[in-house]
Amino acid sequence: MATVVKDAAEAVRSRLNAVLAGVGEAPSTLISSSPEWKALEAHAVAVQKLHLKDLLSDDARTTALTREAEGLYLDLARQNATPETLQLLLALAEKAGVKTKIDAMFAGQHINTTEDRAVLHVALRAKRNQVITDAGKNVVPEVWEVLDKIKAFSERVRSGEWKGVTGKPIDTVVSIGIGGSALGPLFVHTALATAPEAAAQAGGRKLVFLANVDPVDAVRSLGDLNPETTLAIVVSKTFTTAETMAWLTAALGQEAVAKHMVAVSTNLPAVGAFGIDAANTFGFWDWVGGRYSVSSAVGVLPLSLQYGFGVVRSFLDGMQTMDEHYRTAPPSSNLPLLQGLFNVWNATFLGHPTTAILPYQQSLAHFAPHVQQLSMESNGKGVSLDGTTLNFGAGEIDFGEPGTNGQHSFYQLIHQGRVIPAEFIAIATSQQDVYLEGEKVSSHEELMCNFFAQPDALALGKDAATLAGEGALANKVRASLAAARSNGNALRADEGFNSSTAALLGRFLKQYQPKGPSDGAPALPSALQSA
């Protein structure tokens, strides 16, 4: 679900930065001259004198900065902010007309003013009976026509009914495309690869993304593949298309194009001239920005071929659920909107332009690059909608790495005093759990100990005496988790955690129940067990 929130959150940031850049009666009037903006500027000066150690001691503040929706728990307590900050940010969002812009997007208004287009990636995961219009036309039936076509085609390929020119079934897919044609689908592919249901559906199949002008990428991607059992998806007619076509036709002849290449395109004449049957072309629309195209045929086709349409449909349903939350939830409890507002707070008002995205889950390894495109391709512009030069910074610089990897690299700089706002992300239940006999905690609990310890270490700091007493940062959490497991999954009241950490630990203890060797369950994931 993380990508769902980010998809909506980055849309908020994009629209928020746009409307922040030009509100008021005169086109050149910037929101930075508004009373709401001035109030936040003054508030920022006061807040910067506060320390998170003191802020986190206020239990009522923690409660006021915590939200939950659709299985997602958002804790903003370690933001350098107070409940007043939130109210001032919400007032700025109201001044900027963010909720009006959200409604305008769902209504199909052409909020992409540069290209005079609607922005309707939400239609890509709409339910079949929904109505979402562009220029008065309901686009949802067109979306479902493509989805139905993908479902039928992917089932033909996966069942072996569709065969290559030599009569062999297809077991490998190469998706050819750059930017949004690769970053989003690659992220979701990596996230699904170790999910038990998806992994079972993908058994014996391979999905490869070819997305770089450097011929080294083609060599690495295609070098060990068998052309006879490979299907190429041409998402856009890029540099790599010719190389892949040459690779296929050199091995199988020109007739291989019809059986080994399909297209995701809106340009049917060009596809036909290329030699790909129009029946094997899957459409998308100009009201979908490339960075949001993972839920279009660009992502759905390769992912369905790898994992089956049912798995991908579940992903789309999750996105649709968050779309509805984003559309209907009031601003004060709207998760994507709150994330967008606090990025504006950190980057624009507090002067911290960089955000670290830190997922404590290896399956989210490609999440940060996807977010970089979602956010940084949209935001960071230096002018308003009408071309007026901004007198404030807009957008943030995103970077990141899975948690424990980052702990042994760039975390050190942050720990030693460089202020970099960080978004810590964790999943309550592991996709693939490991519990070794004799260990106090499971491997997922070990990972989560780091997730719980690092935010507090960054927020609160530790003096030399405390560090010497506790040892490594995660030791205290590990001991507390182990004790709680033997005490009915309940933390003792005197553990000494702040209310934010205590609430997170409590939720984790309830939601994640490890099964160790003593439970009769295997100690290792099935993928690591010998036959």
Side-chain angles (χ1 to χ4, degrees):
M1 289 287 287
T3 189
V4 180
V5 178
K6 277 296 180 182
D7 187 33
E10 300 313 334
V12 169
R13 294 183 201 182
S14 178
R15 283 187 289 284
L16 187 58
N17 276 281
V19 293
L20 288 182
V23 300
E25 295 180 3
S28 60
T29 301
L30 298 178
I31 198 172
S32 53
S33 63
S34 70
E36 290 81 359
W37 185 281
K38 299 298 183 185
L40 274 164
E41 284 184 324
H43 180 67
V45 174
V47 165
Q48 285 178 318
K49 299 175 183 178
L50 304 177
H51 195 289
L52 279 174
K53 183 178 293 185
D54 300 318
L55 293 174
L56 280 167
S57 66
D58 183 346
D59 294 353
R61 171 186 169 275
T62 296
T63 301
L65 293 177
T66 301
R67 299 290 186 275
E68 185 174 7
E70 307 300 342
L72 297 168
Y73 185 77
L74 178 63
D75 183 348
L76 298 165
R78 288 170 192 76
Q79 293 286 331
N80 194 8
T82 68
E84 182 187 359
T85 312
L86 176 56
Q87 296 309 311
L88 291 172
L89 287 169
L90 291 169
L92 183 69
E94 184 176 0
K95 175 68 174 178
V98 172
K99 186 63 172 70
T100 300
K101 290 289 184 179
I102 294 173
D103 293 338
M105 184 189 76
F106 277 88
Q109 294 182 27
H110 286 203
I111 61 173
N112 179 347
T113 56
T114 342
E115 299 173 308
D116 190 26
R117 291 176 180 172
V119 180
L120 286 178
H121 45 281
V122 294
L124 298 172
R125 50 261 191 171
K127 294 181 179 179
R128 197 183 287 268
N129 61 353
Q130 280 185 256
V131 176
I132 300 177
T133 61
D134 177 28
K137 179 184 179 183
N138 183 12
V139 301
V140 176
E142 296 178 39
V143 169
W144 274 92
E145 182 179 347
V146 174
L147 290 174
D148 289 339
K149 187 175 180 180
I150 290 174
K151 180 177 185 292
F153 179 74
S154 61
E155 288 174 352
R156 288 183 66 196
V157 172
R158 288 171 55 81
S159 69
E161 178 187 343
W162 177 286
K163 293 181 172 59
V165 291
T166 63
K168 293 184 178 180
I170 300 295
D171 60 16
T172 303
V173 172
V174 178
S175 183
I176 306 167
I178 197 168
S181 300
L183 290 172
L186 175 59
F187 155 62
V188 178
H189 170 47
T190 307
L192 289 175
T194 46
E197 180 187 352
Q201 291 293 324
R205 312 196 68 84
K206 187 173 185 178
L207 175 58
V208 175
F209 291 89
L210 183 52
N212 200 303
V213 68
D214 189 339
V216 169
D217 193 32
V219 171
R220 288 179 173 176
S221 299
L222 304 176
D224 62 348
L225 304 185
N226 180 2
E228 293 181 277
T229 60
T230 298
L231 178 74
I233 302 173
V234 183
V235 178
S236 58
K237 193 174 182 181
T238 62
F239 46 85
T240 50
T241 303
E243 295 166 353
T244 307
M245 185 176 182
W247 175 73
L248 285 168
T249 56
L252 305 173
Q254 189 63 36
E255 63 273 19
V257 174
K259 284 292 186 180
H260 292 265
M261 298 190 84
V262 298
V264 175
S265 177
T266 55
N267 191 341
L268 293 181
V271 170
F274 193 71
I276 297 176
D277 191 333
N280 301 327
T281 302
F282 303 84
F284 61 105
W285 303 269
D286 63 9
W287 37 258
V288 180
R291 60 195 177 278
Y292 297 127
S293 62
V294 65
S295 49
S296 74
V298 169
V300 174
L301 178 58
L303 293 168
S304 294
L305 287 165
Q306 177 71 4
Y307 298 108
F309 184 81
V311 169
V312 181
R313 183 66 251 172
S314 295
F315 170 65
L316 295 177
D317 289 344
M319 298 188 86
Q320 196 275 334
T321 297
M322 184 50 60
D323 289 338
E324 281 302 296
H325 167 78
Y326 173 46
R327 184 180 70 85
T328 61
S332 61
S333 58
N334 192 308
L335 302 192
L337 194 150
L338 291 173
Q339 280 196 298
L341 285 175
F342 273 95
N343 277 96
V344 170
W345 169 244
N346 286 319
T348 303
F349 289 96
L350 295 184
H352 305 313
T354 305
T355 297
I357 299 165
L358 311 173
Y360 277 70
Q361 180 84 349
Q362 191 61 32
S363 62
L364 300 180
H366 288 282
F367 186 47
H370 180 40
V371 172
Q372 284 176 329
Q373 187 195 34
L374 285 174
S375 174
M376 295 168 70
E377 190 177 12
S378 302
N379 298 327
K381 306 298 191 294
V383 297
S384 68
L385 291 174
D386 68 353
T388 303
T389 301
L390 302 184
N391 58 5
F392 55 87
E396 77 280 349
I397 302 163
D398 295 299
F399 77 102
E401 183 74 15
T404 51
N405 295 350
Q407 287 176 202
H408 293 278
S409 59
F410 56 82
Y411 276 40
Q412 300 307 312
L413 175 69
I414 310 176
H415 276 299
Q416 294 179 45
R418 183 66 59 87
V419 179
I420 298 177
E423 297 184 2
F424 284 80
I425 302 167
I427 312 298
T429 302
S430 176
Q431 289 180 339
Q432 301 286 336
D433 212 355
V434 178
Y435 203 136
L436 300 178
E437 195 163 3
E439 293 293 330
K440 292 183 178 180
V441 295
S442 72
S443 292
H444 184 58
E445 285 177 313
E446 181 70 30
L447 176 69
M448 292 296 289
C449 286
N450 285 274
F451 168 78
F452 294 124
Q454 286 292 327
D456 277 349
L458 289 170
L460 308 175
K462 291 188 178 182
D463 57 31
T466 303
L467 189 59
E470 293 183 2
L473 292 167
N475 277 352
K476 178 183 176 182
V477 183
R478 186 185 300 107
S480 297
L481 271 180
R485 291 299 184 200
S486 61
N487 188 36
N489 295 322
L491 287 172
R492 294 198 316 269
D494 60 350
E495 290 284 2
F497 295 110
N498 61 69
S499 57
S500 169
T501 303
L504 286 166
L505 279 166
R507 292 176 63 84
F508 177 66
L509 285 165
K510 289 179 181 178
Q511 292 183 34
Y512 171 71
Q513 300 298 324
K515 293 183 178 180
S518 60
D519 301 319
L524 295 174
S526 57
L528 299 181
Q529 296 177 47
S530 57

